[in-house]
C-alpha cells in the first residue's frame, strides 16, 4: 500500500502525537493500518514532519530512526498513545506514565541526537509538562489525539477539513434520510 504524508497526517499539534497517529483506525482491528509498516514510510516521515508538523521549528531537520532502534521506537509510539489517551479520558495513568518515562529514557540513550526517535522523546516530555492538559483531545471522527488550540477549547476534530467535514456530511445524510423515511 502506498501513502503520501499530507498536512492532515500532522494535525496532532505535536510531533509525539503525529507519531502516535501514524496508526489509522487504531481501535478497529479489521480496518487498522500502521503506516510505519508500509515500505519506506518510517523513512519518509521525518521529511514530511519538517514540512507539516506543528513543532517543526523546534527540532529542525530530523533523520529517520536507525533500523536497529525501530522496534523500541514502535513500542514507544504505542506507550505514547496509551498514556495520553488514558490522560484525556480521565483514567488513572500513573503506571502508564512510569512505563512511558522508562521507555523515553531507553530510546533516548540509543537514539542519535538528530533522529526522529530523539525528537519524539523531546516532544513527549513537552506534552507531559503541558500547562493546559485539558487541551489534549481525541478526535470524535477518527480517534486521533490532538491539541485543541482554539480560543474557547471547543474543537472536536483533529482536522476540520477532513474529519469535521466527514462528521458534518454524515450528520446531514442521516437527517435527510430521516426526513424522507416513511
Amino acid at each position: 500500500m502506498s501513502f503520501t504524508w499530507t498536512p492532515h497526517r500532522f494535525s496532532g499539534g505535536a510531533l509525539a502525537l503525529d507519531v502516535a497517529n501514524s496508526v489509522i483506525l487504531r481501535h478497529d482491528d479489521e480496518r487498522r493500518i500502521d503506516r510505519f509498516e508500509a515500505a519506506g514510510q518510517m523513512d519518509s516521515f521525518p521529511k514530511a514532519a519538517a514540512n507539516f508538523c506543528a513543532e517543526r521549528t523546534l527540532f529542525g531537520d530530523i533523520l529517520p530512526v536507525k533500523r536497529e532502534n525501530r522496534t523500541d521506537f514502535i513500542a514507544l509510539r504505542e506507550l505514547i498513545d496509551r498514556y495520553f489517551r488514558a490522560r484525556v479520558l480521565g483514567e488513572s495513568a500513573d503506571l502508564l506514565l512510569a512505563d512511558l518515562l522508562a521507555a523515553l529514557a531507553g530510546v533516548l540513550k540509543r537514539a542519535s541526537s538528530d533522529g526522529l526517535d530523539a525528537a519524539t522523546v523531546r516532544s513527549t516530555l513537552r506534552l507531559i509538562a503541558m500547562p493546559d492538559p485539558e487541551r489534549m483531545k481525541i478526535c470524535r471522527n477518527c480517534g486521533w489525539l490532538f491539541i485543541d488550540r482554539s480560543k474557547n477549547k471547543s474543537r472536536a476534530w483533529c482536522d476540520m477539513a477532513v474529519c469535521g467535514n466527514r462528521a458534518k456530511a454524515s450528520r446531514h445524510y442521516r437527517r435527510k434520510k430521516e426526513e424522507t423515511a416513511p
Side-chain angles (χ1 to χ4, degrees), residues 27-69:
H27 299 291
D28 183 341
D29 291 337
E30 301 210 359
R31 299 185 312 161
R32 175 187 167 109
I33 300 170
D34 183 345
R35 289 193 58 165
F36 286 164
E37 287 180 355
Q41 292 299 299
M42 193 182 292
D43 290 331
S44 63
F45 184 89
K47 185 176 182 189
N51 291 322
F52 305 126
C53 180
E55 293 180 321
R56 65 186 165 273
T57 58
L58 295 175
F59 303 119
D61 290 337
I62 47 180
L63 300 174
V65 177
K66 294 180 204 170
R67 296 232 180 266
E68 64 269 18
N69 294 343

Side-chain angles (χ1 to χ4, degrees), residues 81-96:
D81 183 79
R82 279 198 306 268
Y83 170 72
F84 288 112
R85 194 169 295 278
R87 197 165 99 171
V88 169
L89 295 172
E91 298 171 358
S92 176
D94 291 346
L95 291 176
L96 285 172

Side-chain angles (χ1 to χ4, degrees), residues 12 64 98 119 123 171-172:
S123 176
R171 206 169 42 235
H172 175 76

Side-chain angles (χ1 to χ4, degrees), residues 12-182:
L15 180 64
L17 298 182
D18 295 332
V19 167
N21 293 339
S22 65
V23 177
I24 301 167
L25 300 172
R26 178 178 289 277
H27 299 291
D28 183 341
D29 291 337
E30 301 210 359
R31 299 185 312 161
R32 175 187 167 109
I33 300 170
D34 183 345
R35 289 193 58 165
F36 286 164
E37 287 180 355
Q41 292 299 299
M42 193 182 292
D43 290 331
S44 63
F45 184 89
K47 185 176 182 189
N51 291 322
F52 305 126
C53 180
E55 293 180 321
R56 65 186 165 273
T57 58
L58 295 175
F59 303 119
D61 290 337
I62 47 180
L63 300 174
V65 177
K66 294 180 204 170
R67 296 232 180 266
E68 64 269 18
N69 294 343
R70 291 188 177 192
T71 300
D72 290 339
F73 179 70
I74 295 300
L76 174 63
R77 176 189 68 180
E78 297 307 303
L79 279 168
I80 290 168
D81 183 79
R82 279 198 306 268
Y83 170 72
F84 288 112
R85 194 169 295 278
R87 197 165 99 171
V88 169
L89 295 172
E91 298 171 358
S92 176
D94 291 346
L95 291 176
L96 285 172
L97 178 59
D99 291 344
L100 178 58
L101 291 172
L104 290 169
V107 166
L108 194 56
K109 286 178 185 176
R110 291 180 292 286
S112 56
S113 62
D114 54 355
L116 173 60
D117 39 1
T120 301
V121 167
R122 292 191 298 275
S123 176
T124 303
L125 291 171
R126 288 173 46 88
L127 289 173
I128 291 169
M130 189 174 163
D132 297 331
E134 71 278 357
R135 286 200 175 268
M136 190 175 301
K137 297 183 178 178
I138 299 170
C139 179
R140 291 182 189 169
N141 186 56
C142 69
W144 280 359
L145 293 162
F146 69 95
I147 299 172
D148 177 0
R149 297 198 196 297
S150 67
K151 190 174 183 178
N152 63 0
K153 302 177 188 176
S154 63
R155 197 168 128 198
W157 302 289
C158 63
D159 183 351
M160 184 58 200
V162 177
C163 285
N165 192 34
R166 285 179 186 157
K168 288 181 176 188
S170 176
R171 206 169 42 235
H172 175 76
Y173 173 79
R174 280 193 309 274
R175 257 195 324 267
K176 288 295 182 188
K177 191 174 180 180
E178 288 171 4
E179 289 173 6
T180 59

